[in-house]
Structures are given as structure tokens and as C-alpha cells.
Amino acid sequence: MRMGRTVNFEEELERKKQNVEEVILRYLPREHGFAETMARAMNYSMQAGGKRLRPILLGETWKMFGGKGAVAEPFMAAIEMIHTHSLIHDDLPALDNDDYRRGRLTTHKVFGEAMGILGGDALLNYAYEIMLTAFDLTDNPRSVAVAARIMADKTGIHGMLGGQSADVENEGKPITREVLDYIYENKTSALIEASMMAGATLAGAGKQEVRVVEKAARSIGLAFQIRDDILDVTGEEKEIGKPVHSDERNRKVTYVTLMGVEAAADQVRRLSDEALGLLDGLDQKNEFLRLLVNQLVSRRN
Amino acid sequence: MRMGRTVNFEEELERKKQNVEEVILRYLPREHGFAETMARAMNYSMQAGGKRLRPILLGETWKMFGGKGAVAEPFMAAIEMIHTHSLIHDDLPALDNDDYRRGRLTTHKVFGEAMGILGGDALLNYAYEIMLTAFDLTDNPRSVAVAARIMADKTGIHGMLGGQSADVENEGKPITREVLDYIYENKTSALIEASMMAGATLAGAGKQEVRVVEKAARSIGLAFQIRDDILDVTGEEKEIGKPVHSDERNRKVTYVTLMGVEAAADQVRRLSDEALGLLDGLDQKNEFLRLLVNQLVSRRN
């Protein structure tokens, strides 16, 4: 997967994003029958755009370890469904109470609060329905079982949902660096870890390699989140697509409020160097993945 | 599993319920760390009692097909977690808005609405975390994969959650028998089907046998739900533990409002006879399961 020097990274990223869109579309539920509204709510939220970062990372790590066939595709759709489920529930009145996301009305504003809750549940569950179909696409069922287990562990109370729990509980409170790290490592890094670890596992990577990928993914997730904190202070509203200085207004503790913009930027560089160093130490290479990590930590939106 | 004539059914049921309680307890998350509140919310709702019908049906169908070892246990805990997840979300203000369940405050009343939503999510996800550990407990990974897939399909938009979607959408509307059947078969029967089908699959039952079990389970679930409709009209509040005549007050369409108590009772008998006939037609026998089905459709609470 080494890229020719003439291929433009942005074009390549766009092409990969298009591929993810096609995969997702193939796995969405049909809008018919007595649960049609639920299917429409699921599809509405899944088709709201976004970076598709997690499925791309999953697919690229899978390719990096020589993955072949279609077995990664249901996992690519599944990780985006899990992520989208968390956004739908995060937007609910009892949580962040957001009416808009990416310029569109949030799911519960279109379909009502009850369907926001149930549609989010259905999306989380659908991720597993889809992942488990991957047993039909492989002659290595063990790798599918291990990958599915990684996805479940990183999504649940010991991963993303645990991070959300701590985030909700500490809202508006002055928190320590330790708690902030816990929230970032779980709310954000855990699904990045799941993406890259599942991709590696499905391609047949060994335990030791998957452990290295996990470490790299944790640093990437953390760097990605701290970059978000920085953009909230230094970004342009029309570029990042959401109001800036919202953390200051909401008295939210972030890396920037804890250590200032300069030190936070140093931290992002340190973390991304660490991640790239770990990936470079592996026998497998994926130059696009390297470029993607660099872009994620220097992005302006 | 043929029972001696001297063994009392109620005692045997109580013993099996105790066994389920022990299994569930073993699989609950530990209450520690930064997500401790989430763990407490999950455990609070899981320890609220109840019939434990689904895990018992799973375990009994598993035994009926000669299941051995501990592979059914994570599935028994998982099906109760999925069921409890649906109760927590059903009780939320945006859905049924119930403050009490089985005489205790509902989860969101104790832990707040945000934790009600996230704790319910975590319980649904935890079911998969646990189910996927079953690969370590078997030398037949295919049966675990198939059983997990059955659980996911019957839980999601084509099962329980689809039924909840239709239920929410049709609340307070005059609905046809067709819609009512769809709601009952999904909201209630689907998890009964998942329990019995997963139990059979894990024990090594063949596709044809699992299909018969599915049919029987559908009838059992339907009979169970219609019995609920009847108890709402003929039951005693202190016996069933919730207000009677609530369907009439809420102008809810049920089998009783559609066809009257007599015809509804006939339907329960017809469905339970059908289920027992299907189970009797199999080569495998489980006398306790027969007695349990009889008790479910004649229960007074």
C-alpha cells in the first residue's frame, strides 16, 4: 500500500471515504414494514456525513497487515454505527441537548425523543448484527470472534460508554488531569483503538502486534481530542463548522484550560510522534496511514 | 431432565431461579473506578428481581438438547441484560415515564435521566461483551457464533426493538390485529425465541430443530403476552404487583379489547397447546419445560 509520490493525499482520502460510504450504504436497514420509522431514524443519522475516520482507520490497518477479501467491511460499517449511536444519545435533551449536528437537525429533533432513544439502541445493536455476519466471510472464524470481542470491550463500560459516564458525572466540575485523561482515553481513544485493533486482528496480526497497534491508537485518539480542544480556541467557526470558544463559555476543563495552547500543541506533537514511532516499529507498512495520522493532528477542522 | 413425581414444580422453579441469580451475579460489572456510577446503575436494575424467565428458558432448552459445560451461562446473563436494558429505556420520561417498577424506583429516578440512557446502553453492550466470552468456553465456536447472531437479530430492528418502535408509534391509536400481532411477536416473543433458539443452538441442535423451537417460542411469547392482557382485566392488584384495568384507562388496544376475555383465553390455550405439541414432536424431552409453559399461560401474576 505504499503510495506513489504523485498521488495527492486529499484525493486518496476522498476516494477512501467514498468507499466507506458505499460499504455503509450496503449495510443499512431497509425502510419498510412496521418498524419503518426506526429504520428511517437509523439511516438519517448514518447518512449525516462526517469524517468516517473510524472505518477508514479500520480498513487501513487491515490493509497494512495484508488483509484480503471482504471480512473487514461489516466491521467498518459496525464501528461507524457504534459511533453514530453515541452521537444520537449524546444529543438527547437529558445529555447535551443539541438541536443541530453538522448543520442538520439532530435525530430526536426530527423523529422525536422516544425514537431518538430507541433508534440509537437499534444502531448499537445493528452493529453486532452486522459484525456477526462476518463469520460467513472468512475461513478464520477465530479472528472474527476476537475482533468482535475487542469492539464490544472498547465500546462498553470499560471503554467509550465508561468515558461518557465519567464525562456526564463531571460536567461543570473542576476535574484533574487524571480524570480528563480517563475521559479522553475512553470517550475518544477507545473507538480508535477498536478500529485499528479489529482491522489488525481480522488481517491475522499476532497478539503482540495488536498490542502495539492499541498503544498507537490510544495516542492517536488522545492527540485527535486535544487537537479539538486547541481548535476550539484557535479555529475559525466557518472552517470547523461549530461555534468556537464554547469550552470557555461552558467552563469546560480541557487540555487547553489545564496547560495552555502551547503546551497542548506540544502534547499533540509528542503523542503523534509516539504513534508514528510505534507503527514504524512494526514489520508492516502503510504510508497512507502515516499521512492520515499527520493530517489528523494538524487538521484545521 | 425427567422430574421425579415427588418433586414440587414451584420448588424446582425457585431452585432454577436461584441458579440464574448466581450466574447473573458472576457476570455483573465491578463497581469501581471512574465509571463506578454506571456500574451501579447497571447492577441496580439487574438486581431488581423479576421472573428471570428468559435465562431459565434458555437454560432449560439447552438442557433439553443435552447441553454440557458452562457455555450457556454467559448467554443466560446476556439475555437478561438485554431484557433489562429494554425495561430501563422503556421507563424513561420520553417513553412510558414510569417512576416505579416492581415496587422500586426506576433506574433514571435513582441515577438521573442521562445515566438511565447511558446505563441502558451499557447493559445492552455488556450483553455482547459477555456473550463473546463464550468462545473461551467451547470447542464448538460455530455454535457460539450462530447463537450470538440469533440473539442480535431477535434483539434488533427485526425483533424486540422493531416491536418497541411500532408500539411507540401506535400509542393511543386504534390498531388492527395485524399491527398488534407484529408488536407482540417482536416486543415480547422475539426475546423468548432468542432464549430458546440460543439454548438449542449452543447444545448442538440442528437447523430444523432450531426452527421448531423458534415456532414453539413464538407461541409461548404470544400466549404469555395475551395472558398479561387478561390479568389486567381479571387480576388482583396485590397479586400481580401493578395497577389493574390500566389498559382500559389508557385506551390501549389489547387482545382483550379486540376479542373479549373469553376468546382471548381460548387463544392462550390454543397457542400453548401448539407450543407443547411442537416441543413434544421433537426427539428431546424436558418435563420441567413443559410444566413451565403450562404455568406461564395459567399464571395469576
Side-chain angles (χ1 to χ4, degrees):
Chain A
M1 255 314 292
R2 201 167 274 281
M3 290 176 53
R5 254 170 269 168
T6 51
V7 179
N8 181 290
F9 169 75
E10 293 293 338
E11 275 173 28
E12 188 70 10
L13 180 61
E14 189 51 37
R15 204 184 57 73
K16 287 178 194 290
K17 210 184 137 202
Q18 277 310 316
N19 177 48
V20 168
E21 299 293 343
E22 280 162 38
V23 169
I24 287 172
L25 208 61
R26 244 188 294 135
Y27 279 101
L28 291 181
R30 283 182 54 206
E31 299 178 0
H32 73 136
F34 292 123
E36 183 181 341
T37 309
M38 176 171 265
R40 284 201 293 114
M42 293 163 78
N43 294 342
Y44 173 82
S45 53
M46 282 298 290
Q47 292 174 314
K51 295 184 178 68
R52 308 303 195 191
L53 174 62
R54 292 153 195 82
I56 291 176
L57 283 172
L58 197 156
E60 289 308 306
T61 314
W62 179 70
K63 277 183 200 160
M64 175 173 164
F65 284 96
K68 289 203 171 36
V71 72
E73 291 185 353
F75 280 83
M76 289 165 75
I79 193 81
E80 192 69 8
M81 285 178 186
I82 292 171
H83 173 57
T84 305
H85 137 86
S86 80
L87 301 182
I88 298 175
H89 281 188
D90 239 15
D91 289 336
L92 286 167
L95 285 106
D96 287 353
N97 195 21
D98 280 321
D99 291 355
Y100 290 91
R101 179 176 286 275
R102 296 184 193 127
R104 297 200 330 164
L105 282 169
T106 45
T107 308
H108 70 274
K109 291 305 287 182
V110 177
F111 296 92
E113 213 179 314
M115 204 55 87
I117 294 167
L118 294 176
D121 293 346
L123 218 41
L124 175 60
N125 194 79
Y126 209 62
Y128 291 100
E129 295 184 55
I130 285 173
M131 263 186 264
L132 291 163
T133 66
F135 282 102
D136 296 343
L137 303 172
T138 185
D139 38 17
N140 183 0
R142 209 189 144 271
S143 72
V144 171
V146 174
R149 196 163 163 183
I150 290 169
M151 298 276 278
D153 289 342
K154 295 290 182 187
T155 297
I157 185 172
H158 304 114
M160 179 191 74
L161 285 163
Q164 286 183 302
S165 170
D167 196 21
V168 161
E169 261 199 304
N170 290 291
E171 211 190 321
K173 292 182 193 162
I175 53 171
T176 61
R177 166 82 180 270
E178 193 193 1
V179 177
L180 189 66
D181 278 345
Y182 174 85
I183 293 172
Y184 282 13
E185 278 172 16
N186 286 282
K187 201 176 164 171
T188 307
S189 284
L191 284 199
I192 308 282
E193 291 166 31
S195 306
M196 295 181 68
M197 291 168 76
T201 301
L202 290 169
K207 260 193 186 172
Q208 192 48 45
E209 290 172 312
V210 174
R211 218 167 287 144
V212 173
V213 166
E214 180 178 28
K215 267 195 185 173
R218 179 164 307 163
S219 295
I220 293 168
L222 214 45
F224 182 79
Q225 186 58 54
I226 300 172
R227 182 70 195 161
D228 235 36
D229 295 347
I230 295 171
L231 284 173
D232 187 72
V233 178
T234 66
E236 299 283 336
E237 183 159 337
K238 65 173 193 289
E239 210 164 4
I240 60 177
K242 59 184 176 185
V244 291
H245 302 293
S246 69
D247 294 335
E248 201 187 325
R249 266 196 314 280
N250 301 331
R251 292 170 196 280
K252 210 172 165 168
V253 178
T254 73
Y255 261 71
V256 171
T257 66
L258 277 184
M259 56 173 71
V261 172
E262 290 286 305
D266 281 348
Q267 189 73 352
V268 169
R269 266 186 297 275
R270 200 186 58 71
L271 287 163
S272 60
D273 286 348
E274 191 178 286
L276 291 173
L278 285 164
L279 294 177
D280 286 345
L282 292 164
D283 284 340
Q284 321 289 331
K285 298 281 167 273
N286 180 337
E287 186 57 23
F288 177 81
L289 187 56
R290 268 196 134 268
L291 294 172
L292 179 59
V293 172
N294 268 318
Q295 191 253 15
L296 287 177
V297 298
S298 58
R299 73 202 150 88
R300 301 174 66 83
N301 63 35
Chain B
M1 256 313 296
R2 199 165 278 278
M3 289 175 53
R5 254 170 267 165
T6 51
V7 179
N8 180 290
F9 169 75
E10 294 292 338
E11 275 172 28
E12 188 70 9
L13 181 59
E14 188 52 36
R15 207 183 56 74
K16 287 177 193 289
K17 210 184 138 202
Q18 278 310 316
N19 177 48
V20 168
E21 300 291 343
E22 280 162 35
V23 170
I24 287 172
L25 209 60
R26 243 187 297 136
Y27 279 102
L28 291 180
R30 283 182 53 205
E31 298 178 1
H32 74 138
F34 293 123
E36 183 182 340
T37 309
M38 175 170 267
R40 285 201 292 115
M42 292 163 78
N43 294 342
Y44 173 82
S45 52
M46 282 298 290
Q47 292 174 314
K51 296 185 177 66
R52 308 303 195 190
L53 175 61
R54 292 153 195 83
I56 291 175
L57 283 172
L58 197 154
E60 289 306 309
T61 314
W62 180 69
K63 279 182 199 160
M64 175 172 164
F65 284 96
K68 288 203 169 39
V71 71
E73 292 185 352
F75 280 83
M76 289 165 74
I79 192 81
E80 192 69 8
M81 285 178 186
I82 293 170
H83 173 58
T84 305
H85 138 85
S86 81
L87 301 182
I88 298 176
H89 281 189
D90 239 15
D91 288 337
L92 286 167
L95 285 105
D96 288 354
N97 196 20
D98 281 321
D99 291 355
Y100 289 91
R101 178 177 288 275
R102 297 183 193 127
R104 298 199 333 162
L105 282 169
T106 44
T107 308
H108 69 274
K109 292 304 286 184
V110 178
F111 296 92
E113 212 179 315
M115 204 56 86
I117 294 167
L118 294 175
D121 293 345
L123 219 41
L124 174 61
N125 194 79
Y126 210 61
Y128 291 100
E129 295 184 54
I130 285 173
M131 263 186 263
L132 292 164
T133 66
F135 282 103
D136 296 343
L137 303 172
T138 185
D139 37 17
N140 183 359
R142 209 190 143 272
S143 73
V144 171
V146 174
R149 195 164 163 182
I150 289 168
M151 298 274 278
D153 289 342
K154 295 291 181 186
T155 297
I157 184 171
H158 304 114
M160 180 190 74
L161 285 163
Q164 286 183 301
S165 171
D167 196 22
V168 161
E169 262 200 303
N170 289 293
E171 211 189 320
K173 292 183 194 163
I175 54 172
T176 61
R177 167 81 181 268
E178 193 194 1
V179 177
L180 190 65
D181 278 345
Y182 174 85
I183 294 172
Y184 283 12
E185 278 173 16
N186 287 282
K187 202 177 164 172
T188 307
S189 285
L191 284 200
I192 307 280
E193 290 165 33
S195 306
M196 296 182 67
M197 291 169 77
T201 301
L202 290 169
K207 259 192 187 171
Q208 191 49 45
E209 289 172 312
V210 174
R211 218 168 287 143
V212 173
V213 166
E214 180 177 26
K215 267 195 185 172
R218 181 164 306 165
S219 295
I220 293 168
L222 214 45
F224 182 80
Q225 186 59 53
I226 301 172
R227 181 72 194 159
D228 234 36
D229 295 347
I230 294 171
L231 284 173
D232 187 72
V233 178
T234 66
E236 299 284 338
E237 184 158 337
K238 65 173 192 289
E239 209 164 8
I240 59 176
K242 59 184 176 184
V244 292
H245 301 292
S246 70
D247 293 337
E248 201 187 326
R249 266 197 313 281
N250 300 330
R251 293 171 194 279
K252 211 173 163 165
V253 178
T254 73
Y255 261 72
V256 171
T257 66
L258 276 184
M259 55 172 71
V261 172
E262 290 286 307
D266 282 347
Q267 190 73 352
V268 169
R269 267 186 296 274
R270 200 186 58 71
L271 286 163
S272 59
D273 286 348
E274 192 178 286
L276 292 173
L278 285 164
L279 294 177
D280 286 345
L282 292 164
D283 284 340
Q284 321 290 329
K285 297 283 168 271
N286 180 338
E287 185 58 23
F288 178 81
L289 186 58
R290 267 197 134 268
L291 294 171
L292 179 61
V293 172
N294 268 319
Q295 191 251 16
L296 287 177
V297 298
S298 58
R299 73 201 151 87
R300 300 174 67 83
N301 62 35

